[in-house]
Amino acid sequence: MTDVRADGQRKRVFIRTYGCQMNVYDSDRMADVLRPLGYALSDGPESADLVVLNTCHIREKASEKVYSELGRLRDIKLERRREGADLTIAVAGCVAQAEGAEIVRRQPAVDIVVGPQAYHRLPQLLAEVERKAARRRAGKPFPGAGVLDTEFPAESKFDHLPAPLGVRAGSAFLSIQEGCDKFCTFCVVPYTRGAEYSRPAASVVAEARQLVAAGAIEITLLGQNVNAYHGDGPDGATWTLSRLIRAIAEIDGLVRLRYTTSHPRDMDDELIAAHRDVPILMPYLHLPVQSGSDRILEAMNRGHGRDHFLRLVDRLRAARPDLALSSDFIVGFPGETDTDFDDTMRLIEQGGIASAFSFKYSRRPGTPGALLEGQVPENVKDARLAALQALLGHQQQDFNTAKVGHTVPVLFAEPGRRPGQMLGKSPWLQSVHVAGPASLIGRIAEVRLTAAFALSLAGEIVPPFEVAA
Ligand code: 5AD
Ligand code: SF4
């Protein structure tokens, strides 16, 4: 086994992931990089030799969590050192990228700060930490501060990361695009993830094949601006997302394909047609619009108005009539009036949004929005968020209720909260629970939906149980 050291000891790494699915994918890739160095996964910091916090910088709350977690890790590290052992602490992800030097200053117990584009260099960074530890053990009083790697390297990490090793419960993420050039005025992503980059199509298709061979029946293609994908194709042409979807859909054994997160500006005719033509492309699309007010969309630098979004929704529904739409909304962007907010509420109704993530605007240092006048008071943001979430809650419940009585394929992912209960996802990404055996996990079964709740549905497996793959 590769996760046993030459001295017979097994090293353990605990990776805590905050934020988006891109970070979930990256955390798995970091585990893959660390495995050949002898690291097996542990399920908590107490049993780990190395802890990696894979952080999120999108809103203030997410960032601040990192510092309190680092305080707890420092205490574990001090305790270990008293016992003659150690704990290596690494901070990865978008907070690492944005606040690298600040992290090391605020929390000297941190050994490594590594930005999202440099994970393939983790082995060198760990070797550097080991050299410093040796100097400290030799009695050198100042072994040096934490090791920082937050450059955007010329090479792509994707060319240097090992192939994905495992698939959980039949479902896998596949990162195809990173970074963003759109510079929405509220958003840190163009600064933390860098310029838009698309992986070459051949390497994406090869990874999709590996994932299917490793047991994936569902793949979700990931990117901060996934539908802006424009990778070099094996034929010398530039491939768009729709071209890539059509190629991946050919892989034998793959039964579900999804992509996220899209931008309304990059939803072209070809991609809309893919929703009509590619049966394994699931009838669910996450299409963040952020606001329903033309004035606010303009101030956000979104590059489109409310009509563009609503027209897109109509065209998508014409292509795939059973399509469910989800979105992201920000309330309380600087200058947002009651009328602007009302426009957002009407857009949610008109667009028939089935579910959404919604947030209070968070002022992020370094973004143009942070400097705008007309910052909205916290109590107004709270009230708008509550009203918006109530409306979305109703629409989600209605959407779920409309599926009761239907029989749908469910991909099972994990045990439910109650004994004997299994939890899975419908094609519309609804959580569905049934009474069933653990052997359902990672498989698709037909389920008759019997009851709808705000956030889930209950159902019964339709006998005879068959895997619909
Ligand atoms: N404040 C609040 N929400 C934000 N998002 C991004 N930046 C901010 C911010 N500064 C939200 C957007 C985006 C989602 C991932 O996070 O809705 O689509
Ligand atoms: Fe952020 Fe806008 Fe880029 Fe999305 S499109 S990552 S919200 S800057």
Side-chain angles (χ1 to χ4, degrees):
M1 263 171 79
T2 50
D3 55 4
V4 176
R5 282 196 291 192
D7 62 5
Q9 265 195 317
R10 187 189 285 254
K11 289 188 282 185
R12 296 204 165 262
V13 55
F14 174 65
I15 307 180
R16 191 187 291 284
T17 309
Y18 300 87
C20 65
Q21 289 143 325
M22 307 277 300
N23 270 10
V24 175
Y25 176 87
D26 282 346
S27 289
D28 284 349
R29 292 287 76 73
M30 282 192 266
D32 294 340
V33 169
L34 293 169
R35 203 167 283 117
L37 303 184
Y39 285 96
L41 287 177
S42 92
D43 51 14
E46 291 76 15
S47 53
D49 306 282
L50 165 66
V51 172
V52 181
L53 300 184
N54 192 4
T55 61
C56 172
H57 197 242
I58 200 98
R59 283 169 293 274
E60 192 178 350
K61 237 198 232 156
S63 290
E64 279 305 314
K65 263 192 223 154
V66 174
Y67 289 100
S68 48
E69 182 67 17
L70 285 176
R72 281 192 290 276
L73 293 176
R74 180 207 49 197
D75 294 346
I76 299 178
K77 183 179 184 121
L78 291 176
E79 183 68 36
R80 290 273 177 90
R81 285 201 173 163
R82 277 195 286 276
E83 293 161 358
D86 209 346
L87 171 70
T88 305
I89 302 174
V91 182
C94 291
V95 180
Q97 188 64 47
E99 301 179 8
E102 168 81 0
I103 293 170
V104 184
R105 193 186 60 74
R106 268 176 77 171
Q107 187 45 271
V110 169
D111 299 288
I112 293 174
V113 174
V114 56
Q117 307 308 332
Y119 297 151
H120 54 293
R121 296 199 295 229
L122 267 171
Q124 290 96 299
L125 298 173
L126 282 163
E128 176 68 10
V129 169
E130 186 44 47
R131 278 193 291 277
K132 283 185 179 167
R135 287 206 290 275
R136 191 169 50 80
R137 283 194 297 269
K140 301 267 188 305
F142 300 113
V147 188
L148 242 72
D149 191 348
T150 52
E151 293 294 307
F152 287 119
E155 79 274 14
S156 160
K157 69 177 173 189
F158 294 111
D159 296 335
H160 298 271
L161 289 169
L165 288 172
V167 168
R168 272 187 293 265
S171 189
F173 291 137
L174 200 178
S175 178
I176 67 168
Q177 180 279 326
E178 263 200 64
C180 179
D181 296 337
K182 293 212 167 55
F183 293 92
C184 298
T185 53
F186 52 80
C187 185
V188 291
V189 166
Y191 313 98
T192 56
R193 291 272 173 172
E196 208 174 283
Y197 166 79
S198 297
R199 285 175 73 178
S203 105
V204 172
V205 175
E207 188 167 325
R209 281 188 202 289
Q210 281 163 350
L211 289 168
V212 173
I217 52 178
E218 173 180 79
I219 290 180
T220 303
L221 306 176
L222 297 181
Q224 257 103 26
N225 256 282
V226 73
N227 59 339
Y229 178 85
H230 56 278
D232 293 337
D235 51 2
T238 298
W239 282 31
T240 57
L241 179 61
S242 50
R243 181 104 192 251
L244 194 61
I245 284 172
R246 285 170 196 268
I248 293 174
E250 297 288 309
I251 299 174
D252 254 1
L254 187 66
V255 284
R256 287 184 169 194
L257 188 55
R258 305 178 183 275
Y259 63 93
T260 197
T261 290
S262 327
H263 194 293
R265 255 162 72 186
D266 296 316
M267 219 56 228
D268 60 20
D269 292 345
E270 261 186 79
L271 187 53
I272 294 173
H275 282 274
R276 181 192 62 210
D277 301 338
V278 180
I280 73 162
L281 190 57
M282 289 292 101
Y284 170 91
L285 179 62
H286 185 59
L287 190 62
V289 60
Q290 317 295 355
S291 169
S293 153
D294 280 334
R295 238 172 44 80
I296 296 298
L297 287 168
E298 166 105 48
M300 286 176 164
N301 190 33
R302 293 288 293 174
H304 69 85
R306 70 177 274 133
D307 281 351
H308 172 81
F309 179 78
L310 289 170
R311 267 202 320 275
L312 260 183
V313 170
D314 288 345
R315 288 165 58 211
L316 282 158
R317 290 233 167 85
R320 181 87 204 227
D322 63 342
L323 189 85
L325 273 161
S326 88
S327 198
D328 289 345
F329 294 95
I330 296 177
V331 300
F333 186 79
E336 186 187 71
T337 62
D338 285 341
T339 314
D340 295 318
F341 176 64
D342 226 46
D343 286 344
T344 301
M345 297 288 271
R346 300 292 80 77
L347 175 125
I348 292 171
E349 288 169 343
Q350 264 178 282
I353 304 296
S355 70
F357 298 103
S358 48
F359 314 97
K360 289 189 282 181
Y361 171 67
S362 169
R363 206 170 171 174
R364 305 307 288 126
T367 61
L371 304 175
L372 288 177
E373 288 181 9
Q375 299 287 331
V376 175
E378 213 49 32
N379 60 334
V380 176
K381 287 188 201 170
D382 284 334
R384 288 182 187 162
L385 187 67
L388 185 130
Q389 290 185 338
L391 173 62
L392 284 164
H394 280 125
Q395 293 197 182
Q396 185 159 8
Q397 170 83 53
D398 289 350
F399 180 70
N400 288 348
T401 303
K403 297 281 184 235
V404 172
H406 292 238
T407 296
V408 306
V410 172
L411 171 53
F412 286 92
E414 57 189 346
R417 256 179 296 163
R418 306 230 177 96
Q421 203 179 52
M422 290 295 137
L423 209 60
K425 294 284 188 208
S426 79
W428 302 277
L429 222 56
Q430 296 153 299
S431 289
V432 176
H433 49 89
V434 302
S439 58
L440 282 171
I441 291 176
R443 303 161 90 183
I444 291 179
E446 292 294 321
V447 172
R448 198 175 70 81
L449 299 171
T450 53
F453 310 97
L455 300 175
S456 66
L457 286 140
E460 298 163 347
I461 295 193
V462 178
F465 168 56
E466 269 189 59
V467 179

